[in-house]
Amino acid sequence: MDQDALLADLDADQRRAVTTDSRLVAVIAGAGSGKTRVLTRRVAHRIGAGTAEGAHTVVLTFTREAAGELRRRLPRLGLEERITAGTFHSIAQGLLRQRWADTDQAPRSIVTDRSRIVRDVMGPEQLDLLVEAMNWATARGVAADTYEAAVRRGEHRPGVAAERVAEGLDRYRREKRRRGVIDLDDLLSLTIEALERDAEFAEGVRWRYRHVLVDEAQDLNPLQHRIVDLLRQGADDLFLVGDPAQAIYGFNGSDPTLLLDVSERFPGIEVVRLPVNHRSTPQIVEAGDHALRTGGQRSDVRSARPDGPIVTTREHADEHVEARDVASAVARLDPDLARAGRVAVLGRTHASLQPVRAALEAAGVAVRRAVDGAGSPLAPFLADAYRLRSAGDLRRWARDLFDVDEMPADSDDPRREVAEVATDFLREQPTGDGSAFRHWVATTDPFGGRLPGVDVLTFHGSKGREWRHVHLIGCETSLVPHRSATTVAAKAEETRLLYVAITRATDVLTVNWAQRRSGYARKLTPLLDGFESSEPDLAPPPAELLGRTRDSRSRTLERLRAWRATAARSGGTLPEHICTDRALSAIADAHPTSPDELDRVTGLGPITARRLFDGIAAALADESLTG
């Protein structure tokens, strides 16, 4: 690996996080600050510098996609050594499977959807609320005999009676034992038990995983906290990356105080902050900061991007007018943006999004569909897979699909795609049947949102994503913050949830709200009350440019657009992916004469500026490119 190239496109804070000699490090990475870039570069830098070994490095993530992205990025950086990267549950499952084999124990079957068992033992009444409360308890290691006390202390406010939740926890535990199955939280608790009680096993695991890195550390729940603590014992070779302002999974037991109190939790830890948002314009960052401050939280993030359009707030008579207006606005956009997945409509709840989805389809705008939904080319094959009753049947079905019609290996066929994903699922969950596969597809998005169209998602569903144009809908009282948030902690999480939604936009953000929804009067969300987006400062052009005529500047822009279009065609991408209109405008005004100056004018970054400079310089100089 070229260590200089590894660091060349990092800002000063990112470089410090990647190269620090400390082994115990927490990186507080604000929205859009390059969290994944820093994590991957840290792994590559340490292995390249000889301070870590790939075979003894583990990266713990919260999604299969995050682990896969990490594994894809590292070889591109020149790293030849393989590392271990996976979710907490998949790593725990691998450790337990090996332990069961070593101790001649039969492997346990894993239940991925606890609601089916809960329904069997508790009945269908208030099932969703009951399972939600049980999820919180099991993620925090709260047992049936201590749950009611936790509720009395104000640690949780369930939607059903506390005694019913306690009864459900007890019956669920006994029914799992009767059936001889475990669930995903059991993977963590059993791993913790083995690490705490078996010194030889714990020593072997710590030898295997000497260098521990944790992604999205703000989302750790107490069970995951404990696993991290047990893995780092004796070495303290730990690298945490996360953002307390993006902790939005409290309902699943996560505890953002890990990063807020990180210096107390880990004495001697080096804390590195990444305060520069490279994703969003200053106007969008300002909107997110306003929401956090209004909700009693803070963010020190600033944008490295040039100014963009102001954040627009639009008031609508009701949810139906809102839906039609949003659909109309999206329909007026360049259709290539939607086809390329650059446009999203985000709402607090699924119900609030239904009118928008219908209005978009009525306006002829393609909405990105679920891979197993009607009209998806994958749907019939997924439906077949979901009906299979055992892991063996699913494994044979996937193998048969690979062989069907003797498809070539590079065939872009939905059958092969489903078979490949099913095989990946079985590697992660060897005992999983068709029902478990359905749940896994729904929760992990293994096909990567491959179907084209506008994304219509909840705020929660938008986490980890970004779009050029974002419409937020339903930004009003009772929805934002949601009326169910009655505790201080829940209201704080609602603030962070809006912040996450706002900062998914890179260039254009529109906030929509309705005066009436479901027949009830509403007001603009208090989290954005008083917010006014700042117009960009219009600085006069430099004196040496005053003599240029408007026609001259227009010709310059035409040449730059022609260069950009050619570069986009050759690269198989959209012109906006090469260089934004705002950046082209800045180039036309400044006529940069070096890659460094191009970077200062546009904020493209030093590597991108060097890569694009020759083409831009030719476009600025060559009149023949006009038209």
Side-chain angles (χ1 to χ4, degrees), residues 91-168:
I91 298 297
Q93 184 180 12
L95 292 173
L96 289 174
R97 281 210 318 266
Q98 185 62 55
R99 177 172 170 78
W100 292 330
D102 291 344
T103 56
D104 295 323
Q105 296 182 56
R108 313 278 187 90
S109 296
I110 300 169
V111 175
T112 57
D113 181 8
R114 65 164 47 115
S115 61
R116 288 186 297 167
I117 296 180
V118 176
R119 175 188 285 272
D120 289 344
V121 298
M122 296 295 291
E125 183 182 353
Q126 294 182 301
L127 180 64
D128 290 344
L129 291 173
L130 177 59
V131 171
E132 180 181 315
M134 291 173 62
N135 289 344
W136 179 92
T138 56
R140 287 181 168 268
V142 177
D145 57 353
T146 59
Y147 178 77
E148 291 182 69
V151 171
R152 287 194 296 271
R153 291 192 298 269
E155 295 177 14
H156 192 226
R157 190 170 294 181
V160 294
E163 55 269 24
R164 179 167 168 77
V165 178
E167 181 184 2

Side-chain angles (χ1 to χ4, degrees), residues 75 92 153 176 232 331 491 511:
R153 291 192 298 269
K176 283 190 299 179
R232 73 183 181 91
K491 290 176 181 177
V511 176

Side-chain angles (χ1 to χ4, degrees), residues 449-617:
R450 63 182 296 280
L451 302 177
V454 174
D455 283 294
V456 180
L457 298 170
T458 63
F459 289 178
H460 280 103
S462 71
K463 180 76 184 300
R465 305 278 301 278
E466 64 178 59
W467 297 268
R468 188 182 191 280
H469 286 259
V470 171
H471 276 271
L472 304 184
I473 61 104
C475 293
E476 64 218 24
T477 51
S478 291
L479 271 179
V480 180
H482 195 271
R483 58 183 173 274
S484 63
T486 56
T487 66
V488 172
K491 290 176 181 177
E493 184 163 307
E494 288 290 313
T495 296
R496 297 191 294 269
L497 187 55
L498 177 59
Y499 174 74
V500 166
I502 287 171
T503 54
R504 299 311 94 192
T506 64
D507 290 72
V508 184
L509 176 66
T510 305
V511 176
N512 298 274
W513 68 281
Q515 295 175 327
R516 299 187 71 82
R517 189 173 299 270
S518 300
Y520 292 94
R522 306 291 176 93
K523 296 180 180 179
L524 175 67
T525 170
L527 294 173
L528 290 176
D529 189 26
F531 172 68
E532 293 184 8
S533 189
S534 301
E535 290 276 5
D537 293 331
L538 300 178
E544 65 269 19
L545 298 179
L546 290 176
R548 291 189 185 149
T549 65
R550 180 178 299 273
D551 288 344
S552 173
R553 186 179 187 280
S554 297
R555 288 195 299 271
T556 300
L557 277 173
E558 287 177 16
R559 296 197 302 275
L560 288 168
R561 291 191 185 104
W563 158 78
R564 183 177 67 173
T566 301
R569 283 194 297 272
S570 65
T573 188
L574 292 173
E576 280 284 320
H577 290 186
I578 300 292
C579 193
T580 67
D581 288 339
R582 181 170 290 275
L584 287 187
S585 180
I587 293 167
D589 285 338
H591 278 239
T593 59
S594 70
D596 288 343
E597 187 178 351
L598 175 62
D599 181 24
R600 286 196 299 272
V601 167
T602 62
L604 287 169
I607 287 182
T608 301
R610 286 198 295 272
R611 177 169 55 83
L612 299 182
F613 177 74
D614 288 345
I616 289 172

Side-chain angles (χ1 to χ4, degrees), residues 397-418:
W397 175 88
R399 185 173 60 247
D400 290 344
L401 270 194
F402 271 117
D403 295 335
V404 70
D405 295 338
E406 297 183 346
M407 288 184 294
D410 59 352
S411 172
D412 184 17
D413 189 294
R415 293 170 295 184
R416 177 173 291 279
E417 191 166 3
V418 173

